[in-house]
Every structure is written in structure tokens, then in C-alpha cells.
């Protein structure tokens, strides 16, 4: 992170590849922001959908061990990212999270930052986390958050993954893909996970500008649930909560289908949260 430079943190969706997210990187780079891109592994996203582990501070943080990406949980990704961000001094931060793959990491980031209120959190760590939180100036929810109800609804999202990724996830978690029969291994599944996830996002005390990008015909991101989230957030915070929606647009495909409106919405949030000058 370059000191003082506004930075956009892009977090991809389930099955997202570097080539898929490159247009979004170009968008933010063209608007004068540095970009950090994170593509969580599919198994990490599925695990986050099935359960949420208690937030724990890694030993020695902000120094973090370099584990292979495939072994990381969502909170491991969060702590690793926060360790990287704490070197950025005062650079403003804007998060852009795609589908639940990105939004699960946003949730984990928020829970990690809230860990500073834990009585066992060392004072130096509290100070670092508080400073990072103050630098977050906005968040874009792109095709998210997605109400997934229960684990069986994950099968549609898993079809965005490669065949080898689908097989590995089905073997580990028992999540059926496509027309396959079977059910989730109950040892991995918390039946309250979806409602807890939405409640946490609704009640989040962080008051920053928010932008929701969604469509009415997205089968993976329930439009009515997103609108309910927008209404609730507007009742909870002072900063603006903007929603840009379309009647027809594919999941995580709004930029490709509606480039002008999409870009204007993002520019609005950047101006509102990251900069005071006109773009």
C-alpha cells in the first residue's frame, strides 16, 4: 500500500479468476486509485458459508505466517490483509466485494477489527486496528450480500467453479453440485449461519458510505433481501447508503452490461468517501 494513496481492495466471487476481475482493476486504476485484489479459494468461501469460527488473534500479529492459500480460512485471509494494510499509514481504503465470496471476507475484516474490543486484545493491537478502521472510507456490495438460506443453495453458485474444484468441495463438505444427489455433512453446517451473517451486516456499527449494485433477475442474489438490507442500513447510519439496480443483469456482470451507470455509481462513492475533489 502506497502511503497516502487511496486504495481499492477488490475481493472476488466464488470461481472468480484474475482475468474476470481485471476490468474492475482497470476501472479503479483509471480513477486514480491503487488496487489490491484478493481471490479467496473456493473451499475457503464454502467453509465460510457453512459456519463462522470464533474470531481469534493470530500469535505474533501483525506479523503473520505464510500458509499456503488453500489452507486459509476466511479469518486467516482477513488477518493477513489487515497486516498488509497496517503498513499503509494514512492511505484511505475502499472495499469492493463481489457476491458472498467477497462479502464473507468483508464480514471477517469487520469482525477482526471489532476484536480490539475484546478484553484479551493487547493495547498495541487495539491501536493498529483502530487506525485501520478509521481509514476505511466506503464499501461497494456488488451482487451481495446473497441470502443463501441453507447449504443446499450453494450448489448453484458452485457451478461457477472448475470441475476439479467442485469435486474437492463435494468430497470435503458434502455439498451437492448441480443435479448430484446428497446433502451437506452436518458436522460442517451451522443452520443459523445465513441469518447470523445478515444480522451482523445489518447491525454493523461502522458508519461509512455504502453502495449496493444488484439486479432484479439475479438468481443468486435475492433482490428483495438486498433492498431490505439497504433500508435497514439507512435507518442505522448517518453516511449515505446508495443502491443502483437494474431489471436485467447477470450475477457479478453489471459492469459489462451497464458500464456507464456502473462507473458513475462507483465514482459517486469514491467522491463521497475517499475524495472531496471532483473526479
Amino acid at each position: 500500500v502506497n502511503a497516502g494513496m487511496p486504495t481499492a481492495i477488490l475481493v472476488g466471487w466464488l470461481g472468480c479468476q484474475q482475468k474476470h476481475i481485471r476490468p474492475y482493476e482497470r476501472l479503479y486504476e483509471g480513477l486514480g486509485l491503487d488496487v489490491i485484489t484478493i481471490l479467496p479459494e473456493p473451499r475457503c468461501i464454502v467453509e465460510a458459508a457453512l459456519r463462522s469460527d470464533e474470531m481469534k488473534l493470530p500469535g505474533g500479529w501483525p506479523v503473520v505466517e505464510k500458509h499456503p492459500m488453500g489452507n486459509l480460512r476466511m479469518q486467516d485471509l482477513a488477518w493477513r490483509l489487515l497486516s498488509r494494510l497496517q503498513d499503509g499509514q494514512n492511505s484511505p481504503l475502499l472495499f469492493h466485494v463481489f457476491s458472498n465470496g467477497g462479502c464473507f471476507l468483508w464480514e471477517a475484516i469487520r469482525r477482526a477489527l471489532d476484536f480490539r474490543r475484546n478484553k484479551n486484545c493487547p493495547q498495541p493491537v487495539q491501536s493498529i486496528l483502530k487506525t485501520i478502521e478509521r481509514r476505511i472510507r466506503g464499501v461497494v456490495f456488488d451482487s451481495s450480500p446473497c441470502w443463501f438460506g441453507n447449504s443446499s443453495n450453494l450448489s448453484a453458485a458452485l457451478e461457477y467453479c472448475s470441475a476439479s474444484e467442485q469435486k474437492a468441495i463435494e468430497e470435503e463438505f458434502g455439498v451437492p453440485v448441480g443435479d448430484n444427489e446428497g446433502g451437506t455433512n452436518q458436522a460442517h453446517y451451522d443452520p443459523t449461519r445465513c441469518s447470523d451473517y445478515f444480522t451482523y451486516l445489518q447491525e454493523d456499527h461502522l458508519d461509512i458510505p455504502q453502495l449496493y449494485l444488484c439486479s432484479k433477475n439475479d438468481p443468486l442474489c435475492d433482490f428483495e433481501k438486498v433492498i431490505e438490507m439497504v433500508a435497514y442500513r439507512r435507518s442505522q447510519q448517518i453516511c449515505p447508503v446508495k443502491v443502483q439496480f437494474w431489471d436485467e443483469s447477470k450475477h457479478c456482470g453489471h459492469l459489462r452490461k451497464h458500464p456507464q451507470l456502473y462507473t458513475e455509481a462507483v465514482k459517486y462513492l469514491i467522491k463521497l468517501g475517499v475524495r472531496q475533489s471532483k473526479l
Side-chain angles (χ1 to χ4, degrees):
V1 179
N2 293 325
M5 278 290 294
T7 301
I9 300 160
L10 312 183
V11 190
W13 58 92
L14 183 63
C16 180
Q17 300 175 26
Q18 185 61 44
K19 63 181 180 181
H20 299 144
I21 210 163
R22 184 58 188 142
Y24 302 93
E25 294 175 332
R26 287 196 294 264
L27 171 62
Y28 280 100
E29 289 166 353
L31 295 174
L33 278 72
D34 282 347
V35 175
I36 295 174
T37 298
I38 300 174
L39 304 178
E41 291 288 324
R43 73 158 310 281
C44 178
I45 296 172
V46 171
E47 184 179 44
L50 298 178
R51 64 174 182 265
S52 177
D53 296 330
E54 179 185 358
M55 187 59 63
K56 296 180 180 179
L57 179 69
W61 193 88
V63 177
V64 293
E65 296 182 21
K66 299 298 183 181
H67 296 290
M69 284 293 289
N71 295 335
L72 293 179
R73 300 167 301 162
M74 201 59 76
Q75 71 165 281
D76 297 326
L77 274 183
W79 287 115
R80 179 178 286 191
L81 175 59
L82 291 172
S83 176
R84 181 177 178 181
L85 294 178
Q86 62 102 20
D87 293 328
Q89 299 180 19
N90 296 320
S91 57
L93 305 172
L94 184 146
F95 281 78
H96 189 131
V97 298
F98 297 87
S99 192
N100 276 348
C103 203
F104 285 148
L105 182 56
W106 170 251
E107 176 201 21
I109 288 287
R110 293 296 305 118
R111 291 185 185 275
L113 291 173
D114 279 347
F115 187 81
R116 74 176 191 273
R117 296 177 171 83
N118 188 299
K119 64 180 181 180
N120 296 319
C121 184
Q123 196 284 325
V125 172
Q126 292 179 31
S127 179
I128 292 172
L129 296 178
K130 185 175 183 179
T131 299
I132 294 174
E133 182 175 282
R134 286 178 173 174
R135 290 165 51 204
I136 301 176
R137 305 294 173 81
V139 57
V140 180
F141 295 97
D142 192 323
S143 306
S144 69
C146 305
W147 179 267
F148 51 95
N150 58 60
S151 60
S152 64
N153 292 336
L154 288 172
S155 61
L158 286 169
E159 293 181 23
Y160 285 80
C161 299
S162 67
S164 61
E165 289 170 337
Q166 291 180 11
K167 182 178 179 181
I169 288 169
E170 190 166 355
E171 289 177 350
E172 180 172 358
F173 298 106
V175 178
V177 181
D179 295 329
N180 294 349
E181 296 182 357
T184 305
N185 184 332
Q186 295 302 307
H188 295 291
Y189 176 46
D190 177 359
T192 67
R193 173 63 181 127
C194 182
S195 58
D196 290 347
Y197 166 57
F198 263 68
T199 298
Y200 186 83
L201 295 175
Q202 287 179 331
E203 302 291 348
D204 188 3
H205 64 83
L206 185 61
D207 192 344
I208 58 173
Q210 295 188 345
L211 169 63
Y212 292 80
L213 302 166
C214 56
S215 65
K216 291 183 177 180
N217 72 330
D218 185 345
L220 297 178
C221 185
D222 188 316
F223 176 73
E224 295 301 328
K225 290 292 186 181
V226 173
I227 296 304
E228 289 176 12
M229 178 69 73
V230 168
Y232 195 91
R233 288 305 306 170
R234 284 173 172 168
S235 74
Q236 295 296 302
Q237 65 178 66
I238 297 173
C239 288
V241 178
K242 179 178 174 63
V243 58
Q244 173 66 64
F245 67 86
W246 296 273
D247 290 335
E248 295 186 4
S249 192
K250 290 185 178 180
H251 189 70
C252 296
H254 309 315
L255 175 60
R256 184 171 61 252
K257 180 75 171 178
H258 308 280
Q260 184 174 351
L261 285 175
Y262 189 102
T263 301
E264 289 302 316
V266 170
K267 288 172 67 174
Y268 168 82
L269 192 75
I270 293 173
K271 179 181 177 181
L272 194 64
V274 176
R275 294 177 177 156
Q276 298 301 318
S277 59
K278 185 176 181 181
L279 289 174

